[in-house]
């Protein structure tokens, strides 16, 4: 869309320093951990929660590094009209995930969406960072420590037959309560989060490992190659074959 810049940073290690030339909204699809210095020379550890937003005002001086990184959507320019001049992160919004996912799908598939649809997604993200969130009881229960416990269990068992009921039993709550708390905390259901992580693992394996697509599908927790391919097309707008493989770059 004219006047705006969209970019998708990969889930890879980084060490960058820059001064923002325009106000910017970022959306983290993955957990990110690292250290950064914002407007100073003092490095501090940071944790970016998945499915959260960040705001960087124009002129903000940032140095940031992470050993693992995480997939990250950047939106800048245009007339975002963001209030305030402070760097803010981990902004939660139930509505932002769908908009950010649509923008990511267009970027990955090189599609050309209609101007009205693109504008709707941009407005959604801009409004999300300015609208205060009022967490309900379930969201308040899901502290950052509990969320990390759940997501680490998911990551450890990603290639197995994960169930929400099994996760809930491990931490002593019902499946329905865990679903409400998880969704309220990060804007995505446990099921959708698990599928997102499986897609991320599959993308990384396709790009770096000499495994067949069927092996990658099973290693990532999909029931079959066709199941993985359908998830790629439905959620990312691309097929696995679009990702460059080792030796084919």
């Amino acid at each position: 869309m004219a006047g705006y810049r969209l970019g998708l940073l990969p889930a890879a290690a980084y060490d960058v320093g820059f001064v923002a030339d325009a106000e910017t909204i970022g959306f983290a699809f993955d957990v990110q951990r690292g250290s950064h210095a914002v407007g100073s020379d003092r490095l501090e550890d940071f944790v970016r929660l998945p499915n959260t937003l960040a705001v960087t005002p124009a002129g903000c001086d940032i140095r940031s590094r992470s050993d693992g990184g995480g997939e990250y959507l950047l939106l800048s320019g245009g007339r975002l009209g963001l209030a305030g001049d402070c760097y803010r992160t981990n902004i939660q919004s139930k509505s932002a995930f769908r908009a950010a996912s649509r923008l990511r799908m267009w970027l990955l598939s090189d599609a050309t969406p209609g101007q009205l649809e693109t504008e709707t997604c941009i407005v959604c993200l801009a409004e999300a960072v300015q609208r205060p969130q009022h967490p309900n009881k379930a969201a308040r229960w899901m502290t950052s420590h509990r969320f990390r416990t759940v997501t680490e269990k998911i990551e450890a068992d990603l290639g197995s037959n994960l169930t929400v009921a099994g996760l809930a039993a491990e931490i002593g709550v019902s499946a329905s309560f865990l679903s409400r708390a998880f969704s309220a905390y990060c804007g995505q259901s446990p099921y959708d989060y698990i599928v997102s992580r499986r897609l991320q693992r599959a993308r990384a394996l396709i790009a770096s490992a000499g495994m067949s697509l069927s092996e990658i599908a099973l290693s990532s927790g999909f029931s079959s190659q066709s199941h993985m391919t359908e998830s790629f097309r439905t959620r990312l707008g691309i097929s696995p074959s679009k990702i460059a493989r080792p030796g084919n770059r």
Side-chain angles (χ1 to χ4, degrees), residues 27 29 73 95-105 121 125:
F27 183 90
F29 289 99
L73 181 76
S95 61
F97 177 75
R98 183 180 296 275
S101 295
R102 292 294 294 168
L103 293 171
R104 176 177 66 174
M105 182 181 291
C121 291
L125 295 181

Side-chain angles (χ1 to χ4, degrees), residues 13-24:
Y14 64 83
D15 189 342
V16 298
F18 63 93
V19 176
D21 61 359
E23 55 185 9
T24 303

Side-chain angles (χ1 to χ4, degrees), residues 119-241:
E119 183 183 46
T120 299
C121 291
I122 291 172
V123 169
C124 178
L125 295 181
E127 290 181 346
V129 298
Q130 298 183 83
R131 188 185 305 122
Q133 301 294 298
H134 302 289
N136 58 26
K137 180 180 179 181
R140 292 194 297 272
W141 177 88
M142 184 62 84
T143 62
S144 59
H145 174 72
R146 286 173 173 152
F147 184 79
R148 182 169 182 172
T149 297
V150 174
T151 55
E152 285 181 348
K153 289 181 183 296
I154 290 173
E155 210 66 30
D157 297 330
L158 203 55
S160 66
N161 186 27
L162 271 170
T163 65
V164 177
L167 284 169
E170 285 195 56
I171 58 176
V173 298
S174 69
S176 60
F177 181 82
L178 177 60
S179 293
R180 292 198 305 275
F182 197 98
S183 299
Y185 189 83
C186 75
Q188 195 177 20
S189 71
Y191 168 76
D192 285 327
Y193 179 85
I194 290 168
V195 175
S196 295
R197 294 306 305 148
R198 285 175 169 163
L199 286 170
Q200 194 67 282
R201 175 176 289 186
R203 290 168 66 188
L205 289 174
I206 292 170
S208 63
M211 301 165 64
S212 69
L213 289 180
S214 59
E215 290 174 322
I216 288 172
L218 296 178
S219 179
S220 302
F222 294 101
S223 59
S224 65
Q225 181 179 334
S226 60
H227 179 207
M228 179 180 75
T229 299
E230 178 61 24
S231 296
F232 263 78
R233 289 174 174 163
T234 301
R235 294 172 181 262
L236 300 177
I238 58 173
S239 67
S241 60

Side-chain angles (χ1 to χ4, degrees), residues 3-81:
Y4 292 96
R5 289 177 292 177
L6 275 174
L8 186 64
L9 304 182
Y14 64 83
D15 189 342
V16 298
F18 63 93
V19 176
D21 61 359
E23 55 185 9
T24 303
I25 294 174
F27 183 90
F29 289 99
D30 305 319
V31 173
Q32 290 191 40
R33 293 182 175 88
S35 60
H36 63 192
V38 180
S40 74
D41 294 327
R42 182 182 177 184
L43 281 172
E44 297 179 333
D45 292 339
F46 75 85
V47 177
R48 287 295 312 278
L49 297 174
N51 304 332
T52 59
L53 296 144
V55 174
T56 304
C60 187
D61 185 359
I62 294 179
R63 177 66 187 267
S64 182
R65 68 174 303 277
S66 172
D67 292 334
E71 194 163 44
Y72 195 71
L73 181 76
L74 284 172
L75 166 66
S76 64
R79 296 177 298 279
L80 294 176

